[in-house]
Each structure stands twice: as C-alpha cells, then as structure tokens.
Amino acid sequence: MLTLREVIYVQEVPRNVRAILVGDIGGTNSNFGIFQHPDDGLSLLLSLHAKSQEIVSFSDLVNQVLLHIKDRYSITVHHACFAAAGVVSADRDYSKPTNLDFIIDTQEIVKQTGLSCVFLTNDFEVIGYGLSCINAKDLVSVNHAVAHGKTNKAILGAGTGLGKCIMFWEKDRKMYVPVASEGGHADFAAQSEIEFALVNFLKKTNNCDCNISWEDVLSGTGIKNMYKFFCQYNGAVKPNDFLAKGGLHPDEIFNSRTIDEHAWHTFDFYAHFYARCAKNFALDSLSRGGIYIAGGIAAKNLQLFQQESFLNEFINCGKQKDLLKNIPIYVITDYNVSLYGAAEYMRLEGLCG
C-alpha cells in the first residue's frame, strides 16, 4: 500500500454523491481528484497524492484510491480519466509515462477495479482544458501584453520533464481545443561557448551519444546537473552534502542563489533557457493568444520570469521581435489545473456517464 496524502477543498465532503475520478500522473507526483458529477457543477471535493516513483502497479493504486473514498466518504465512482506524462495511444487506452517504470492500460484498470469506463489523455492536454476552469488570479501576467482573440495559445512547463501543448480555436464548438506535443524532447539550441560546454558536460554526465534535449536542461534534473556544471566550470569544490547525497534538491539550489554564486548562475541560465524555449514555441505555434507556463518549478519561482533577462531573451529575435513583444506570457499558479482540466475534458466529451 502506498502512502496517500489527502487534501479537502469543501467544508464537509458530501456522502453518497455521484462523483468522477481524475488523475494527473507526473514523473514525481501522482495526483487524484474526486469531483462531484459535472451535472451537479464542477466541484473538486478532495484530492489524494502519491509518489510516482513508488508505484509498481497503477491498477493497484487506483483500487487503493477507490477504497479510500468508499470507506471514508461512502463515495462510489464509475468513470475516471487519467492524464499521463507521456505519449498516449491513438485509441486513448494505453500510455507508458516517459520517466516512470509502469504502464497505464485502461482495459487492465477496468478489469482490476470496479470502474465502468476509464479514459486516458496527455497531462499537458488537460492543462489546456483546465485554463478556463481556474480563477483568473491564478494566472500571473509576466509581460502585460494583450492577447489576440481566437488565435493559437501554447502551454509549456518544466518539472520532472518538460511538457508542451498547442491550443487552437475551434469555431464550430466555439472553444479552444488542446493538441498534445512531445516538443520537450526536441534539441536544445546552444548559442555560446559556455552553453556548448554545458552540452558536452550533460552528454558526459548522462553517458549518451544523442543530442541534448530541452528536457535535459529545463527540468528538476536539469537544475541539478547545471549546478554541478557551474561548480566544475568555475573550478569550485562541490559541497560535501552535494557529494554525499548525490546532489542538492532543485529548490535548495534556487533558494541559495543569493549566497552561492554557482546557484545564482544556475538560476540565471535557467531563466534564459526557459525564455528561449518559450520563444521558440511561440514562433512555432504562432501563439498570439498567449504563452502559458505551468509546472511546480514555475509556480514556486515567479522571480524566474519577472527578471529583465527573461523578457529580453524572449524577444531576442532578429525579424519577429515586435511579434514576440505582443505575445502575452502567463504563469499558472494553481496546482490543480490538471485535475480541473481532466474533469472538464470528461464533461465536454460526455464521458461522465
């Protein structure tokens, strides 16, 4: 049995109500939300959280979640939707999350649990559906540009990996529709001598012959490896706890940037790289409707995007600088946007039964 952490969002969790189960399965955390049936309003009752690296059988974890809400709140669920951090099959019934060792198979889940129907989608795809569900205060404007209505939007976010999603306006349904992407695995574009040195360091560290991807740089592991790089590049001796524990936590690195020059360089380069990745994605998708930055790293480090170097790098483009100046950038600070998005996806597609 895995340890489940519970968070309640209502004054009292109602009993014997119709509910749906949704899940956001990321490389570090697996988050489950219990929503009152959308016919009764899209209300998040409670969430349950597990460590993804501890999961052996996803079906067993789903059973544990279902048993928890049935025993504690007499809530029975028949329909569920899980958002996976990875490629989802064309039939939306199978996924092998990129940075995890287990699979998500909807047919197996139905066999092993009491669920009637299970649906599968991409984790950044559901963020697209969730944008319209969260409070406006949870979208922090970075550059105060004005969005062009009914034009493309783009979402990206760094965590255990780097996720992306493009949104286009569907005029017949009069809504934005998200399209999943695996652009986080596209090649990282080094632009200077020190950046090429970083690329060579990452290749050696990761013991790989392939190109370094954006995810290798813009992720929690990327922060740790970048810090190691600057310690070595500047001829510093690594801190004892860095050697003993295999590396400082990314939060520790960023939080020590005012007293540790290597941490500062890591923070500064991370901001530059995030801006460059966002700029490339904005140009690829022509997202005049806005760039939305998701993920825990962004929400906990708003200063990354508020410093001048980030904004300067975002518009650092010879021929389309004016275009980029007018693309609004937002940071999503609601951690539950994926859960709301999965529930909204089920509602819109009539998957709630």
Side-chain angles (χ1 to χ4, degrees):
M1 297 284 283
L2 274 69
T3 300
L4 294 177
R5 180 175 62 87
E6 181 183 82
V7 181
I8 296 175
Y9 300 93
V10 292
Q11 187 170 359
E12 184 177 354
V13 177
R15 295 175 177 272
N16 300 305
V17 296
R18 295 196 306 162
I20 59 173
L21 170 66
V22 298
D24 173 25
I25 315 305
T28 300
N29 297 303
S30 289
N31 307 313
F32 297 90
I34 310 301
F35 282 82
Q36 197 154 337
H37 196 280
D39 288 350
D40 305 316
L42 200 62
S43 175
L44 178 59
L45 303 178
L46 68 138
S47 60
L48 296 166
H49 307 268
K51 293 298 181 182
S52 298
Q53 298 292 336
E54 298 176 3
I55 299 172
V56 176
S57 166
F58 187 73
S59 296
D60 287 349
L61 176 57
V62 173
N63 264 326
Q64 185 178 344
V65 169
L66 294 172
L67 183 62
H68 177 95
I69 60 174
K70 185 176 183 180
D71 286 351
R72 185 165 294 191
Y73 303 109
S74 299
I75 294 177
T76 301
V77 171
H78 297 290
H79 296 78
C81 177
F82 302 116
V87 178
V88 176
S89 65
D91 292 331
R92 293 183 178 268
D93 59 359
Y94 180 90
S95 178
K96 165 63 175 66
T98 306
N99 295 303
L100 295 170
D101 294 328
F102 59 85
I103 63 170
I104 302 175
D105 185 327
T106 62
Q107 296 182 33
E108 184 65 23
I109 294 170
V110 170
K111 288 179 183 178
Q112 299 296 328
T113 70
L115 293 170
S116 302
C117 297
V118 178
F119 307 93
L120 193 57
T121 185
N122 174 265
D123 61 334
F124 268 72
E125 197 176 358
V126 295
I127 292 177
Y129 285 108
L131 284 181
S132 62
C133 303
I134 61 175
N135 197 303
K137 69 178 179 61
D138 294 317
L139 291 174
V140 178
S141 177
V142 172
N143 60 350
H144 306 292
V146 179
H148 291 70
K150 301 179 182 179
T151 57
N152 292 348
K153 298 179 179 181
I155 305 169
L156 75 159
T160 306
L162 177 67
K164 289 186 175 184
C165 169
I166 298 172
M167 299 179 66
F168 70 95
W169 179 258
E170 191 174 281
K171 62 180 181 180
D172 292 336
R173 298 174 70 185
K174 296 181 180 179
M175 60 173 284
Y176 274 99
V177 177
V179 178
S181 166
E182 286 297 316
H185 300 284
D187 292 349
F188 166 67
Q191 295 289 327
S192 66
E193 182 179 341
I194 190 170
E195 291 180 15
F196 280 108
L198 173 62
V199 166
N200 289 328
F201 174 84
L202 292 174
K203 284 187 175 183
K204 183 177 180 180
T205 300
N206 297 333
N207 192 29
C208 69
D209 297 324
C210 59
N211 292 347
I212 294 302
S213 71
W214 279 110
E215 180 172 296
D216 293 325
V217 177
L218 291 176
S219 61
T221 301
I223 294 172
K224 294 168 69 174
N225 284 334
M226 209 180 305
Y227 180 74
K228 291 180 185 178
F229 165 75
F230 280 112
C231 286
Q232 176 179 298
Y233 188 80
N234 295 321
V237 177
K238 300 180 183 68
N240 289 334
D241 58 351
F242 196 97
L243 292 171
K245 300 177 183 178
L248 299 175
H249 190 278
D251 289 345
E252 294 178 284
I253 294 171
F254 277 2
N255 291 339
S256 63
R257 65 184 183 274
T258 59
I259 58 173
D260 181 342
E261 64 172 312
H262 314 302
W264 165 250
H265 286 307
T266 301
F267 185 85
D268 187 47
F269 271 67
Y270 201 83
H272 275 84
F273 295 156
Y274 223 138
R276 189 181 306 166
C277 186
K279 171 184 65 181
N280 290 346
F281 199 27
L283 293 170
D284 286 339
S285 58
L286 194 57
S287 52
R288 291 182 292 169
I291 285 281
Y292 294 80
I293 301 174
I297 293 175
K300 291 186 289 187
N301 294 279
L302 289 175
Q303 305 94 328
L304 274 169
F305 314 100
Q306 294 168 336
Q307 56 187 8
E308 190 175 353
S309 60
F310 176 89
L311 296 174
N312 287 342
E313 183 65 26
F314 183 76
I315 63 172
N316 182 13
C317 179
K319 296 182 179 180
Q320 293 296 347
K321 186 173 184 177
D322 289 338
L323 169 69
L324 292 164
K325 281 183 178 179
N326 290 296
I327 291 179
I329 307 170
Y330 305 95
V331 176
I332 304 170
T333 59
D334 188 336
Y335 288 98
N336 291 326
V337 63
S338 298
L339 300 181
Y340 276 101
E344 177 69 356
Y345 168 74
M346 293 183 72
R347 185 188 72 81
L348 290 170
E349 298 297 329
L351 304 177
C352 301

